[in-house]
Each structure stands twice: as structure tokens, then as C-alpha cells.
Amino acid sequence: MRAIYFAFVLLAAACGAPVDNAGEPTRAAATASATLEVRNGWTRPTPGGVNVSSGYLTIVNGTDAADRLLAASSPRAARTEVHEMAMEGGVMRMRAVEGGLAAPAGETVTLAPGGLHIMFFGVGRPFAEGETIPLTLTFERAGQIETTLAVRAGGASHAGR
Ligand SMILES: [Cu+2]
């Protein structure tokens, strides 16, 4: 959990969310500031020889304005896209979300196994358990948000939802 907490602190600092005197970000403070936040980023270790991977996270749009995730990038991958799953000819396939991923006002959008995900192509150095993968998300209104994905094994238990 330390990595996730660390990611949240980084995010809070990056977007200017209030942090109380003890340095502990609080959910109540974040809500009151009406910001768009990215939380709980994670991905799985990449097996040797595999240069693609997917990442998951939660977008909480605490503002009263609709936003849109337009792009994603990471120094750990040659190309990063936002993907969705869709039926094509009776087969479930993944594809890039066209026109950006909607983050409606006041709503939470969850990227999770079996659905929306961040797609990494051209992963050079493999994602290793315990490290964190830097990720920059570009939103239409909120602009660029820096976050990290914690690499953890056992994510397979979340698959199939
Ligand atoms: Cu994909």
C-alpha cells in the first residue's frame, strides 16, 4: 500500500490539492477542493519477452464540469493508449477509445481488468514487482496529471470481471 499512498501524495502535490498540517492528504479535503484525481494505479509484472502491458486506475472527477482523458504517456513504453473492450464480429477485442475517455462531472471512472485500461506498447525494461511506473495523463480540462502505477503480482485474481 505504500506505493499507492506515495502515488497519492505525488498527485496531491502535482495538482495542488490541500494537504493538512501533518502532511496527510485527506479525502474530505480533496473533495472540498473539487479536483479531478487519479487514484489506485496499478499494473502487473511483465513476463520476459513480452513488451506489451496494461494498467488500471480510478479517475475521480470531483469537479462540476465534465472532463475527458485525451492521452497517456510513460517513459517506460514506446507508445501508450487508452483502450476499451468491445464486441467485434462476436469476438471481444480491445481498441483505442476514440475521442477521449469521458469523465463526467462528479463521477468516478474505473479502469479495471476486462474493461477500460491503459495500454502500453513497446515496453523496454520489464515491469518488475514492487516498482512504480510513471504515467502522465492528459485531460481536456484538468491538463496533465502525473501519477504512478504500482507493479504488483496477483492482479490476475481481479481478471474476468
Ligand atoms: Cu489494450
Side-chain angles (χ1 to χ4, degrees), residues 53-54 81-85 94-96 115 117-121:
S53 186
S54 50
E81 297 181 351
V82 182
H83 277 194
E84 62 186 348
M85 305 298 288
M94 62 182 185
R95 66 185 182 198
H117 56 278
I118 302 294
M119 190 80 200
F120 298 106
F121 295 100

mmCIF file of all heavy atoms in Angstrom, residues 53-54 81-85 94-96 115 117-121, ligand 1:
data_model
loop_
_atom_site.group_PDB
_atom_site.id
_atom_site.type_symbol
_atom_site.label_atom_id
_atom_site.label_comp_id
_atom_site.label_asym_id
_atom_site.label_seq_id
_atom_site.Cartn_x
_atom_site.Cartn_y
_atom_site.Cartn_z
ATOM 1 N N SER A 53 1.771 -4.313 -22.116
ATOM 2 C CA SER A 53 1.163 -4.484 -20.801
ATOM 3 C C SER A 53 -0.032 -3.548 -20.688
ATOM 4 O O SER A 53 -0.235 -2.693 -21.541
ATOM 5 C CB SER A 53 2.181 -4.165 -19.704
ATOM 6 O OG SER A 53 1.632 -4.458 -18.421
ATOM 7 N N SER A 54 -0.810 -3.760 -19.658
ATOM 8 C CA SER A 54 -1.937 -2.862 -19.433
ATOM 9 C C SER A 54 -1.946 -2.409 -17.986
ATOM 10 O O SER A 54 -1.473 -3.111 -17.095
ATOM 11 C CB SER A 54 -3.258 -3.548 -19.806
ATOM 12 O OG SER A 54 -3.348 -4.808 -19.191
ATOM 13 N N GLU A 81 -1.686 4.029 -24.897
ATOM 14 C CA GLU A 81 -3.024 4.384 -25.372
ATOM 15 C C GLU A 81 -4.067 4.074 -24.300
ATOM 16 O O GLU A 81 -3.816 3.300 -23.389
ATOM 17 C CB GLU A 81 -3.373 3.568 -26.635
ATOM 18 C CG GLU A 81 -2.453 3.838 -27.825
ATOM 19 C CD GLU A 81 -2.840 3.025 -29.060
ATOM 20 O OE1 GLU A 81 -3.707 2.124 -28.943
ATOM 21 O OE2 GLU A 81 -2.268 3.290 -30.126
ATOM 22 N N VAL A 82 -5.228 4.691 -24.449
ATOM 23 C CA VAL A 82 -6.361 4.367 -23.582
ATOM 24 C C VAL A 82 -7.256 3.414 -24.370
ATOM 25 O O VAL A 82 -7.690 3.741 -25.477
ATOM 26 C CB VAL A 82 -7.151 5.635 -23.186
ATOM 27 C CG1 VAL A 82 -8.298 5.276 -22.254
ATOM 28 C CG2 VAL A 82 -6.221 6.648 -22.528
ATOM 29 N N HIS A 83 -7.492 2.233 -23.816
ATOM 30 C CA HIS A 83 -8.238 1.193 -24.528
ATOM 31 C C HIS A 83 -9.559 0.841 -23.858
ATOM 32 O O HIS A 83 -9.712 0.989 -22.654
ATOM 33 C CB HIS A 83 -7.392 -0.086 -24.612
ATOM 34 C CG HIS A 83 -6.414 -0.080 -25.748
ATOM 35 N ND1 HIS A 83 -5.764 -1.210 -26.165
ATOM 36 C CD2 HIS A 83 -5.984 0.924 -26.554
ATOM 37 C CE1 HIS A 83 -4.968 -0.905 -27.187
ATOM 38 N NE2 HIS A 83 -5.071 0.388 -27.439
ATOM 39 N N GLU A 84 -10.462 0.356 -24.677
ATOM 40 C CA GLU A 84 -11.721 -0.189 -24.186
ATOM 41 C C GLU A 84 -11.907 -1.580 -24.795
ATOM 42 O O GLU A 84 -11.236 -1.933 -25.764
ATOM 43 C CB GLU A 84 -12.895 0.711 -24.598
ATOM 44 C CG GLU A 84 -13.069 0.817 -26.120
ATOM 45 C CD GLU A 84 -14.149 1.815 -26.527
ATOM 46 O OE1 GLU A 84 -14.902 2.248 -25.637
ATOM 47 O OE2 GLU A 84 -14.225 2.137 -27.715
ATOM 48 N N MET A 85 -12.806 -2.347 -24.223
ATOM 49 C CA MET A 85 -13.138 -3.654 -24.776
ATOM 50 C C MET A 85 -14.458 -3.507 -25.525
ATOM 51 O O MET A 85 -15.368 -2.813 -25.069
ATOM 52 C CB MET A 85 -13.303 -4.695 -23.666
ATOM 53 C CG MET A 85 -12.097 -4.808 -22.746
ATOM 54 S SD MET A 85 -10.591 -5.342 -23.576
ATOM 55 C CE MET A 85 -10.983 -7.069 -23.899
ATOM 56 N N MET A 94 -9.954 -5.512 -27.864
ATOM 57 C CA MET A 94 -9.667 -4.197 -27.299
ATOM 58 C C MET A 94 -9.337 -3.236 -28.423
ATOM 59 O O MET A 94 -8.851 -3.620 -29.472
ATOM 60 C CB MET A 94 -8.508 -4.272 -26.307
ATOM 61 C CG MET A 94 -7.196 -4.708 -26.896
ATOM 62 S SD MET A 94 -5.956 -4.812 -25.587
ATOM 63 C CE MET A 94 -4.501 -5.175 -26.580
ATOM 64 N N ARG A 95 -9.639 -1.977 -28.173
ATOM 65 C CA ARG A 95 -9.349 -0.953 -29.181
ATOM 66 C C ARG A 95 -9.183 0.388 -28.476
ATOM 67 O O ARG A 95 -9.640 0.575 -27.339
ATOM 68 C CB ARG A 95 -10.486 -0.887 -30.196
ATOM 69 C CG ARG A 95 -11.791 -0.394 -29.612
ATOM 70 C CD ARG A 95 -12.918 -0.460 -30.620
ATOM 71 N NE ARG A 95 -14.159 0.061 -30.047
ATOM 72 C CZ ARG A 95 -15.368 -0.171 -30.553
ATOM 73 N NH1 ARG A 95 -15.503 -0.934 -31.632
ATOM 74 N NH2 ARG A 95 -16.440 0.347 -29.990
ATOM 75 N N ALA A 96 -8.533 1.317 -29.163
ATOM 76 C CA ALA A 96 -8.331 2.647 -28.591
ATOM 77 C C ALA A 96 -9.676 3.355 -28.437
ATOM 78 O O ALA A 96 -10.555 3.220 -29.293
ATOM 79 C CB ALA A 96 -7.399 3.467 -29.485
ATOM 80 N N GLY A 115 -12.048 -4.537 -18.868
ATOM 81 C CA GLY A 115 -12.707 -3.349 -19.412
ATOM 82 C C GLY A 115 -11.705 -2.309 -19.830
ATOM 83 O O GLY A 115 -10.683 -2.614 -20.449
ATOM 84 N N HIS A 117 -8.684 0.175 -19.972
ATOM 85 C CA HIS A 117 -7.319 0.044 -19.451
ATOM 86 C C HIS A 117 -6.372 0.994 -20.168
ATOM 87 O O HIS A 117 -6.677 1.499 -21.242
ATOM 88 C CB HIS A 117 -6.818 -1.403 -19.577
ATOM 89 C CG HIS A 117 -6.876 -1.949 -20.973
ATOM 90 N ND1 HIS A 117 -8.028 -2.472 -21.517
ATOM 91 C CD2 HIS A 117 -5.931 -2.056 -21.936
ATOM 92 C CE1 HIS A 117 -7.786 -2.876 -22.749
ATOM 93 N NE2 HIS A 117 -6.519 -2.630 -23.047
ATOM 94 N N ILE A 118 -5.228 1.222 -19.525
ATOM 95 C CA ILE A 118 -4.130 1.930 -20.157
ATOM 96 C C ILE A 118 -3.288 0.867 -20.846
ATOM 97 O O ILE A 118 -2.926 -0.133 -20.231
ATOM 98 C CB ILE A 118 -3.258 2.675 -19.120
ATOM 99 C CG1 ILE A 118 -4.104 3.666 -18.302
ATOM 100 C CG2 ILE A 118 -2.086 3.384 -19.808
ATOM 101 C CD1 ILE A 118 -4.672 4.814 -19.099
ATOM 102 N N MET A 119 -3.015 1.053 -22.137
ATOM 103 C CA MET A 119 -2.273 0.039 -22.901
ATOM 104 C C MET A 119 -0.859 0.537 -23.183
ATOM 105 O O MET A 119 -0.668 1.637 -23.700
ATOM 106 C CB MET A 119 -3.008 -0.206 -24.226
ATOM 107 C CG MET A 119 -2.492 -1.389 -24.982
ATOM 108 S SD MET A 119 -3.190 -2.901 -24.281
ATOM 109 C CE MET A 119 -2.008 -4.079 -24.893
ATOM 110 N N PHE A 120 0.098 -0.292 -22.835
ATOM 111 C CA PHE A 120 1.499 0.040 -23.085
ATOM 112 C C PHE A 120 2.033 -0.813 -24.230
ATOM 113 O O PHE A 120 1.919 -2.049 -24.194
ATOM 114 C CB PHE A 120 2.348 -0.233 -21.843
ATOM 115 C CG PHE A 120 1.960 0.579 -20.645
ATOM 116 C CD1 PHE A 120 1.288 0.000 -19.589
ATOM 117 C CD2 PHE A 120 2.277 1.934 -20.574
ATOM 118 C CE1 PHE A 120 0.925 0.746 -18.478
ATOM 119 C CE2 PHE A 120 1.925 2.696 -19.463
ATOM 120 C CZ PHE A 120 1.247 2.094 -18.417
ATOM 121 N N PHE A 121 2.606 -0.165 -25.226
ATOM 122 C CA PHE A 121 3.274 -0.869 -26.326
ATOM 123 C C PHE A 121 4.760 -0.531 -26.267
ATOM 124 O O PHE A 121 5.133 0.592 -25.950
ATOM 125 C CB PHE A 121 2.723 -0.412 -27.677
ATOM 126 C CG PHE A 121 1.283 -0.760 -27.906
ATOM 127 C CD1 PHE A 121 0.292 0.188 -27.730
ATOM 128 C CD2 PHE A 121 0.920 -2.040 -28.304
ATOM 129 C CE1 PHE A 121 -1.042 -0.117 -27.945
ATOM 130 C CE2 PHE A 121 -0.408 -2.364 -28.535
ATOM 131 C CZ PHE A 121 -1.399 -1.400 -28.351
HETATM 132 CU CU CU B 1 -5.428 -2.773 -24.815
#
